[in-house]
Amino acid sequence: MLLCALSACSSSDDDDTKDMSKPVINTKDIVAVPTDCEVYKRGDVIPFNSLFTDDTELGSYNIEIHQNFDHHTHSTSSVECPMEAQKQPVKPWVFNLDFTIPSGQKSFTARHDIAIPSDIDTGDYHFMVRLTDRAGWQQIHAVAIKITE
């Protein structure tokens, strides 16, 4: 019975083969967009382009866009963009979509054209990418963007 209990608690993976590092959202080796302080117009498209890497295997990613009318921060960038005065949202844009990366990938270039609705509040927004590897490690990259008339 002791042997059964020990085998139930053991893992087939050695400690040396476990994924113990976060994936990487690479913004240096390609023309990554968007970048901090970029300005887009309502009705236009944000051309998202980013390179993801992991030492073992990538899993999935999420793109989220939300208003920053209260000037909150996500602390992933040291760049400070000029901001409009704080305001209450009336019709803020919220975009939140998950994507799966094909199995076995250690490198993946994500490209999407994200249409900006023409009837949303203008102002300061955050564009966030959350990258998760197969082991569950996550990396977050957030940039400040502005949406105008």
Side-chain angles (χ1 to χ4, degrees):
M1 178 143 28
L2 180 60
L3 182 58
C4 287
L6 289 175
S7 66
C9 295
S10 67
S11 171
S12 60
D13 293 336
D14 295 329
D15 286 342
D16 293 339
T17 61
K18 288 184 181 176
D19 185 352
M20 299 303 291
S21 60
K22 292 180 179 184
V24 175
I25 300 171
N26 190 335
T27 59
K28 298 186 184 352
D29 294 335
I30 64 169
V31 178
V33 285
T35 59
D36 274 309
C37 309
E38 280 195 86
V39 178
Y40 298 93
K41 292 183 178 181
R42 292 192 298 190
D44 283 351
V45 168
I46 299 173
F48 173 69
N49 186 33
S50 193
L51 175 63
F52 304 143
T53 58
D54 188 63
D55 61 340
T56 306
E57 185 178 359
L58 293 165
S60 63
Y61 61 101
N62 170 275
I63 298 174
E64 177 188 341
I65 303 167
H66 62 264
Q67 57 86 8
N68 186 23
F69 303 159
D70 62 354
H71 297 181
H72 67 274
T73 181
H74 295 285
S75 301
T76 66
S77 176
S78 60
V79 176
E80 290 190 30
C81 303
M83 298 181 77
E84 296 179 4
Q86 290 188 10
K87 65 181 182 180
Q88 289 296 315
V90 175
K91 191 170 182 186
W93 183 26
V94 177
F95 179 92
N96 194 332
L97 199 55
D98 295 320
F99 301 90
T100 301
I101 297 170
S103 296
Q105 302 294 311
K106 291 185 179 184
S107 178
F108 182 80
T109 301
R111 290 189 178 104
H112 303 281
D113 286 333
I114 301 170
I116 302 169
S118 58
D119 61 346
I120 59 164
D121 291 343
T122 60
D124 300 303
Y125 282 82
H126 282 142
F127 188 106
M128 297 182 60
V129 178
R130 291 177 184 87
L131 174 63
T132 307
D133 67 13
R134 286 278 181 222
W137 293 101
Q138 188 178 80
Q139 186 66 265
I140 297 174
H141 180 69
V143 297
I145 63 172
K146 187 175 298 291
I147 299 182
T148 62
E149 295 285 338

